[in-house]
Amino acid sequence: MSRTSLSCAVALVLVVSITTSAAAQTRTASAPSAADLSALLESTSRSVSPSVVQIFATSYTAGDGLVPKSGDLVRTERASGSGVIVDPAGYVITNAHVVRGAGRIRVEVPRPSTGTSILTETADVVGGQVVGMDLETDLAVLKIDREKLVAMAFGDSDELKPGQLVLAFGSPLGLTNSVTPGIVGAVARQLEPESPMVWVQTDASINPGSSGGPLVDLRGRLVGINTSIASMTGGNEGVGFSSPSNIVRAVYEQIKATGHVRRGDIGIRVQTITPALARGLGLGRESGVVVSDVAPGSAAAASGFRPGDIIVSLEGKAMENGRQFQVGLYRRPVGSFVGIDVLRDGETRKARVQIAERRDPLANLSAAVDPRQHLVSRLAILGIDLDAQAGVMLGVQRVPSGVIVASTAAGAIDSRDGGLAPGDIIYAVNTKPVASLAELRSVLDAVKPGDPVVLQLERRGTLMYLAYSAE
């Protein structure tokens, strides 16, 4: 257990002890003791551990530079993470980044203990296959060739409250089936302003290797999948993020059934009402949600939505801000109907809108990207050749060839104009046209550290230059 987790556990015992002492002076009913809490943590850990697995992913990449023998032309890369069994038939949930690009996956499944030894329990190592991945939520579903496994039940992440005690399970730094206690720091943390994805924030210790492990409540239910940490050092600093179990369950059920995820959309853009918006638009209220755009031909347009409409409620739940509305729609399956109350000209109107499949061509392209083949290391991007099919999907009409940026690392390019973004199309480097990944790599390889680099690219239909100094 890390120092942070140990301090957390001690603090929890102290809190319970103090609460017990104070309660004894004011009421006759007995409060939970430190021993009660310890016993609860122990029993929860004992029931959960058989469902937690360690995952080993092996991938193969080209060797670097000159090699002394032909066997070094290919380099083996190994990574490990965690996962949780959610179906006795052998279905496992983990993070997509744990298994993405892997050529071989092995899963270490705990073997039921038959003794009382305190030494590490034995485990069976079995092969695993990827059923499907969802990059937007960083989730993946594996299938292992085992049955009658101990599966963990899903909890309701909407019931989580800040301050609630939770446990994080996994194999941090390769330490198999570790458990650390903590509390929920926030229940709907948004890491990107425009993203509908929200995260459970926790101070339960999460470190490299914990990715894909379960976040569990004291009833032994899955309330999240541990995914990432906010850290200045690369290790746990008390701020970790988990995918909420309700989103995890929706993604898992779709991948298990079809191998991929379909997301819904009704075709409107909304914004949180501010005092300035309220005064300028004459909305009559200084809080809530206002419709700023309605896509032509969308389900919202067919239902009569207009820019300037105020969203009062979604499925009977009052809407307080734009993010809440986006998250409310995020989990709704394609083809289902949602009830929305709208305020217009002082009158409330009720609409029932069918959710259509969200159009996101970049997500479809990104799902096919293999880091082993599509990495452009000098730009820290994964790129895809722009061909006729990709051009139709993206609506490209400016230049017929180039390289599409499928994903990129934040801050990889130090430019006054910002960095590259998913969906950008690189057409030229220092006036030299690039029509493919191979050409882009070749031109960049000739650039020396300190040389100026100017990328000509298209972003959302507009050509622009992005200048920086090579490192």
Side-chain angles (χ1 to χ4, degrees):
M1 182 180 292
S2 68
R3 182 176 299 175
T4 301
S5 299
L6 180 59
S7 300
C8 178
V10 172
L12 287 168
V13 171
L14 288 175
V15 168
V16 172
S17 299
I18 293 170
T19 303
T20 303
S21 176
Q25 300 176 24
T26 58
R27 63 178 186 269
T28 58
S30 61
S33 67
D36 293 333
L37 177 61
S38 180
L40 180 58
L41 296 176
E42 179 187 350
S43 64
T44 302
S45 298
R46 188 167 56 248
S47 66
V48 165
S49 291
S51 301
V52 181
V53 301
Q54 187 171 16
I55 297 170
F56 301 94
T58 303
S59 59
Y60 305 97
T61 59
D64 295 327
L66 297 176
V67 292
K69 55 185 182 293
S70 60
D72 293 332
L73 289 170
V74 177
R75 185 176 68 249
T76 300
E77 294 184 348
R78 293 183 174 88
S80 66
S82 305
V84 57
I85 301 168
V86 293
D87 188 312
Y91 287 92
V92 174
I93 295 177
T94 185
N95 283 140
H97 73 259
V98 172
V99 297
R100 188 181 184 193
R104 181 188 181 198
I105 297 172
R106 294 176 298 129
V107 181
E108 188 174 280
V109 182
R111 184 184 300 167
S113 177
T114 57
T116 59
S117 172
I118 63 173
L119 298 178
T120 302
E121 296 180 359
T122 57
D124 295 324
V125 178
V126 298
Q129 299 293 326
V130 176
V131 179
M133 291 189 292
D134 180 47
L135 302 183
E136 185 167 313
T137 55
D138 195 9
L139 294 171
V141 177
L142 310 182
K143 179 67 171 66
I144 60 177
D145 189 19
R146 281 295 176 90
E147 294 184 350
K148 298 181 180 180
L149 298 171
V150 180
M152 188 180 299
F154 284 95
D156 185 353
S157 55
D158 286 349
E159 295 180 354
L160 287 175
K161 300 292 188 294
Q164 180 175 335
L165 181 62
V166 288
L167 300 174
F169 288 79
S171 301
L173 307 177
L175 301 173
T176 306
N177 217 337
S178 299
V179 55
T180 54
I183 63 169
V184 174
V187 295
R189 183 69 69 198
Q190 193 177 30
L191 301 183
E192 299 176 4
E194 295 298 322
S195 173
M197 180 63 183
V198 293
W199 306 87
V200 177
Q201 180 183 323
T202 179
D203 69 346
S205 186
I206 299 174
N207 280 288
S210 297
S211 293
L215 189 70
V216 180
D217 64 15
L218 294 191
R219 295 172 61 183
R221 303 177 306 174
L222 177 68
V223 294
I225 293 293
N226 302 322
T227 301
S228 64
I229 56 176
S231 173
M232 299 294 290
T233 63
N236 172 65
E237 295 182 8
V239 182
F241 303 99
S242 302
S243 303
S245 61
N246 287 349
I247 291 178
V248 173
R249 186 170 190 170
V251 169
Y252 161 70
E253 289 175 347
Q254 288 199 56
I255 289 179
K256 182 182 176 182
T258 66
H260 64 277
V261 177
R262 299 170 66 205
R263 287 201 168 80
D265 183 35
I266 63 173
I268 63 173
R269 179 181 175 84
V270 299
Q271 294 179 233
T272 301
I273 297 174
T274 63
L277 273 177
R279 289 193 298 270
L281 298 178
L283 298 179
R285 58 168 64 188
E286 295 189 349
S287 63
V289 181
V290 62
V291 176
S292 57
D293 188 25
V294 180
S298 65
S303 296
F305 283 80
R306 302 176 188 172
D309 286 346
I310 296 173
I311 304 294
V312 177
S313 66
L314 174 66
E315 289 294 305
K317 185 174 184 179
M319 292 291 103
E320 301 174 6
N321 54 67
R323 183 178 69 178
Q324 182 188 16
F325 181 77
Q326 290 175 328
V327 171
L329 287 177
Y330 192 67
R331 299 198 309 263
R332 307 284 175 173
V334 174
S336 64
F337 287 82
V338 291
I340 303 174
D341 288 350
V342 177
L343 183 64
R344 180 192 302 165
D345 298 330
E347 296 183 1
T348 300
R349 304 164 183 257
K350 294 184 178 293
R352 192 142 186 87
V353 189
Q354 186 173 27
I355 296 180
E357 186 167 3
R358 190 175 72 187
R359 301 295 182 183
D360 190 354
L362 187 60
N364 294 333
L365 291 172
S366 298
V369 172
D370 187 337
R372 297 169 295 180
Q373 300 176 11
H374 296 87
L375 175 66
V376 182
S377 58
R378 296 207 69 176
L379 292 179
I381 68 168
L382 294 178
I384 305 172
D385 289 348
L386 173 61
D387 55 21
Q389 182 179 2
V392 171
M393 294 175 67
L394 293 176
V396 178
Q397 298 180 352
R398 306 301 294 268
V399 180
S401 60
V403 175
I404 305 168
V405 178
S407 63
T408 180
I413 294 178
D414 185 13
S415 171
R416 295 181 60 183
D417 299 315
L420 290 166
D424 287 350
I425 304 166
I426 301 172
Y427 292 132
V429 179
N430 290 345
T431 72
K432 296 181 180 179
V434 292
S436 66
L437 274 171
E439 291 184 12
L440 177 60
R441 291 192 187 105
S442 177
V443 173
L444 290 172
D445 286 345
V447 175
K448 298 177 181 179
D451 285 352
V453 178
V454 179
L455 304 177
Q456 184 184 27
L457 55 92
E458 177 180 331
R459 178 174 295 170
R460 294 189 292 273
T462 301
L463 294 179
M464 61 176 286
Y465 294 111
L466 187 64
Y468 68 99
S469 294
E471 296 183 355

